C-alpha cells in the first residue's frame, strides 16, 4: 500500500497532462484574454521554481503532514478549478494547485531517498516510479480528452481522482518517526570520498556539474517536447497524426528506459549518466541529419527515453555525492532546475527559430552541446568514488 500511495502521487505530479488536451479550447473560451490564459498555463511552473524551499517547510511540518496538506490543497483547487468560468478565478485556484505540484515533486523523492538507503535499490525504484509516472500521465491526458468532448470544463471532473490519493496519503504513508525507526541509516547515506564533494560547506563541484548538465538537457529536451509539431511541419514529414505518434514515442521510451535503469546502474554505476547523455546526443543529431518520419519517431524516442532515465538516475544518485545533511536540499535544487528549464525554453527557442530560420538547426547545435556534455560527464564520473 505504501508503494501504491507513492505511485498515486503521480496524479499531482502529472497534473498538466490533464490540461493539455483542452488548451486550445481554453484559448477559444477566453479569446479576448489570451494574456491571462498564458499566465494560467505557465503559473504552475513559475510557482514550482520555488520548490527549493521544500526542506525549510518540511522542518516545520514533517514530510507526511506536508504531503497530506498538499494533496488536500490540490484536490480542492483542481476539482473546483473551473467551477466558475472566469479566467482570473481559474488563475487563482491554479496558483494553489501549482504550489502543491511543486512541493510534491520534491517530497516524493525525499521519501524514496529515506526508505531506500541502498543506492542500487533506490535507483531501481526511482526508475520504476518514473516509468509509471509516464504511463499515468498518458492515461490522464487520454481520459481528459474523452471527457472534454462534451465541453472543456468537463475535463476537470478527472481531478476527482485526487480524493482517493488524499485518503491513501492519510492512511498509508509512514510518519517521519516510523521511517527513521525502520531505517536509521537513512539519515546517514554513504560516506563521500570525492575531492570535489564536501561533508561540510559547499555542495561540491560534482553536484554543480550535474546541475549544469541537467539544466541544459532540460532545455534541449523541451525543444523536442514542446516544438515537435514545428519540426514535423517545417520538414514536411506529415500531419498532426505523426506529431502525436512522435510525442507518444517519447513517453513510451521514457517509461521503458526508466523501468530498466536499475539494471543499467548496477553495471555502470556513476558512468550511467554519460551513457544516457550519449543516447540523448545521438537522438538530436539523428533528427537533424536524417529527416524522415521514421527518424523523427526514433530520434525523439531516444531523447525522451534518455532524458527520463537520466533524471531518475540523477535523483537516486544525489545522496552519493552530497553529504547526508544536504540531500534534501540537493533534491530540491535538482527539481527546481528542471522547472527553470521548462520556464526558459519557450523564451529561448522562439528567438533562435527566428535567427536560425527554423527549429531544425537547434538539433544540430544541441547535439554538439550534448556530445560535449557526454565527454565532461564521463571524465567527471572517474573522479567520484563512494565508499559504503
Amino acid at each position: 500500500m505504501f508503494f501504491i500511495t507513492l505511485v498515486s502521487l503521480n496524479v499531482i505530479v502529472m497534473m498538466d497532462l490533464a490540461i493539455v488536451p483542452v488548451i486550445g479550447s481554453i484559448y477559444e473560451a477566453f479569446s479576448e484574454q489570451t494574456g491571462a490564459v498564458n499566465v494560467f498555463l505557465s503559473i504552475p511552473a513559475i510557482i514550482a521554481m520555488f520548490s527549493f524551499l521544500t526542506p525549510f517547510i518540511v522542518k516545520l511540518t514533517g514530510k507526511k503532514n506536508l504531503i497530506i496538506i498538499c494533496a488536500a490543497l490540490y484536490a480542492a483547487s483542481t476539482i473546483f478549478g473551473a467551477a466558475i468560468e472566469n479566467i482570473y478565478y481559474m488563475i487563482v485556484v491554479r496558483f494553489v494547485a501549482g504550489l502543491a505540484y511543486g512541493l510534491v515533486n520534491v517530497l516524493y523523492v525525499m521519501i524514496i531517498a529515506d526508505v531506500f538507503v541502498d543506492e542500487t535499490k533506490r535507483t531501481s525504484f526511482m526508475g520504476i516510479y518514473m516509468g509509471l509516472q509516464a504511463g499515468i500521465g498518458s492515461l490522464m491526458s487520454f481520459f481528459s480528452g474523452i471527457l472534454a468532448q462534451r465541453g472543456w470544463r468537463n475535463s476537470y471532473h478527472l481531478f476527482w481522482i485526487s480524493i482517493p490519493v488524499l485518503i491513501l496519503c492519510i492512511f498509508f504513508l509512514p510518519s517521519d518517526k516510523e521511517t527513521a525507526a525502520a531505517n536509521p541509516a537513512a539519515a546517514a547515506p554513504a560516506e563521500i570520498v570525492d575531492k570535489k564533494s564536501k561533508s561540510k560547506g559547499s555542495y561540491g563541484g560534482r553536484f554543480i556539474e550535474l546541475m549544469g548538465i541537467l539544466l541544459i538537457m532540460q532545455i534541449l529536451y523541451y525543444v523536442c517536447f514542446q516544438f515537435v509539431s514545428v519540426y514535423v511541419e517545417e520538414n514536411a514529414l506529415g500531419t498532426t497524426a505523426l506529431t502525436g505518434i512522435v510525442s507518444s514515442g517519447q513517453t513510451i521510451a521514457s517509461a521503458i528506459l526508466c523501468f530498466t535503469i536499475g539494471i543499467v546502474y548496477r553495471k555502470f554505476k556513476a558512468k550511467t549518466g554519460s551513457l544516457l547523455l550519449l543516447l540523448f546526443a545521438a537522438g538530436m543529431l539523428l533528427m537533424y541529419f536524417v529527416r524522415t518520419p521514421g527518424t523523427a519517431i526514433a530520434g525523439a524516442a531516444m531523447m525522451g527515453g534518455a532524458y527520463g532515465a537520466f533524471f531518475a538516475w540523477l535523483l537516486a544518485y544525489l545522496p552519493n555525492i552530497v553529504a547526508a545533511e544536504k540531500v534534501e536540499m540537493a533534491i530540491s535544487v535538482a527539481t527546481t532546475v528542471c522547472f527553470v528549464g521548462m520556464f526558459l525554453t519557450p523564451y529561448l527557442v522562439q528567438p533562435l527559430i527566428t535567427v536560425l530560420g527554423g527549429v531544425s538547426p537547434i538539433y544540430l547545435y544541441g547535439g554538439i552541446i550534448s556530445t560535449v556534455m557526454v565527454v565532461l560527464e564521463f571524465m567527471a564520473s572517474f573522479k567520484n568514488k563512494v565508499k559504503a
Side-chain angles (χ1 to χ4, degrees), residues 76-344:
S77 59
T78 53
I79 290 172
F80 299 104
I84 302 173
E85 192 171 341
N86 179 288
I87 191 62
Y88 299 106
Y89 163 82
M90 293 168 62
I91 288 172
V92 171
V93 292
R94 192 159 155 84
F95 176 94
V96 177
L99 179 63
Y101 161 72
L103 293 175
V104 170
N105 262 286
V106 178
L107 286 165
Y108 83 81
V109 184
M110 288 183 178
I111 291 175
I112 291 172
D114 284 347
V115 173
F116 296 90
V117 180
D118 179 80
E119 60 182 280
T120 302
K121 291 182 179 178
R122 185 172 61 244
T123 305
S124 296
F125 187 85
M126 188 69 75
I128 292 169
Y129 185 90
M130 296 193 73
L132 290 172
Q133 189 176 97
I136 289 173
S138 297
L139 287 174
M140 290 179 69
S141 186
F142 173 75
F143 285 112
S144 174
I146 292 176
L147 290 170
Q149 290 180 7
R150 296 185 178 182
W152 65 269
R153 293 172 71 184
N154 286 320
S155 65
Y156 277 79
H157 294 322
L158 182 65
F159 290 115
W160 280 100
I161 195 175
S162 58
I163 297 298
V165 173
L166 174 60
I167 294 171
L168 286 171
C169 290
I170 292 172
F171 289 103
F172 297 108
L173 274 184
S175 68
D176 295 14
K177 289 183 179 179
E178 289 171 333
T179 302
N183 274 310
E191 179 187 346
I192 298 165
V193 186
D194 181 0
K195 294 179 181 179
K196 289 191 173 185
S197 299
K198 303 177 181 179
S199 60
K200 301 291 182 182
S202 69
Y203 287 85
R206 179 75 166 128
F207 176 74
I208 296 172
E209 289 166 0
L210 285 171
M211 291 304 100
I213 288 173
L214 178 62
L215 177 61
I216 295 171
M217 192 178 190
Q218 178 75 34
I219 292 172
L220 292 176
Y221 169 67
Y222 261 70
V223 170
C224 186
F225 183 77
Q226 293 183 329
F227 293 87
V228 65
S229 59
V230 179
Y231 173 86
V232 169
E233 183 179 343
E234 77 178 25
N235 290 292
L237 299 181
T239 64
T240 54
L242 178 63
T243 300
I245 294 171
V246 173
S247 298
S248 298
Q250 288 178 303
T251 304
I252 294 169
S254 178
I256 292 172
L257 264 71
C258 281
F259 283 139
T260 58
I261 189 62
I263 299 171
V264 177
Y265 181 76
R266 195 175 295 117
K267 184 174 181 61
F268 296 101
K269 298 293 183 180
K271 297 174 183 60
T272 302
S274 54
L275 290 174
L276 293 171
L277 280 169
L278 180 61
L279 180 63
F280 186 86
M284 292 209 83
L285 293 174
L286 178 65
M287 290 182 73
Y288 176 76
F289 286 109
V290 188
R291 304 181 198 180
T292 67
T295 53
I297 296 170
M302 291 164 68
M303 290 178 64
Y307 168 78
F310 182 89
F311 191 51
W313 165 77
L314 176 61
L315 291 176
Y317 187 64
L318 286 177
N320 293 346
I321 61 171
V322 300
E325 70 272 13
K326 300 183 186 298
V327 170
E328 292 184 351
M329 180 55 76
I331 292 169
S332 300
V333 170
T335 306
T336 301
V337 166
C338 284
F339 289 128
V340 170
M342 290 168 57
F343 176 74
L344 290 177

Side-chain angles (χ1 to χ4, degrees), residues 15-16 37-49 90-99 101 343:
M15 75 168 191
D16 259 13
V37 175
N38 290 337
V39 173
F40 166 82
L41 294 175
S42 62
I43 202 165
I46 296 172
I47 300 303
M49 285 193 290
M90 293 168 62
I91 288 172
V92 171
V93 292
R94 192 159 155 84
F95 176 94
V96 177
L99 179 63
Y101 161 72
F343 176 74

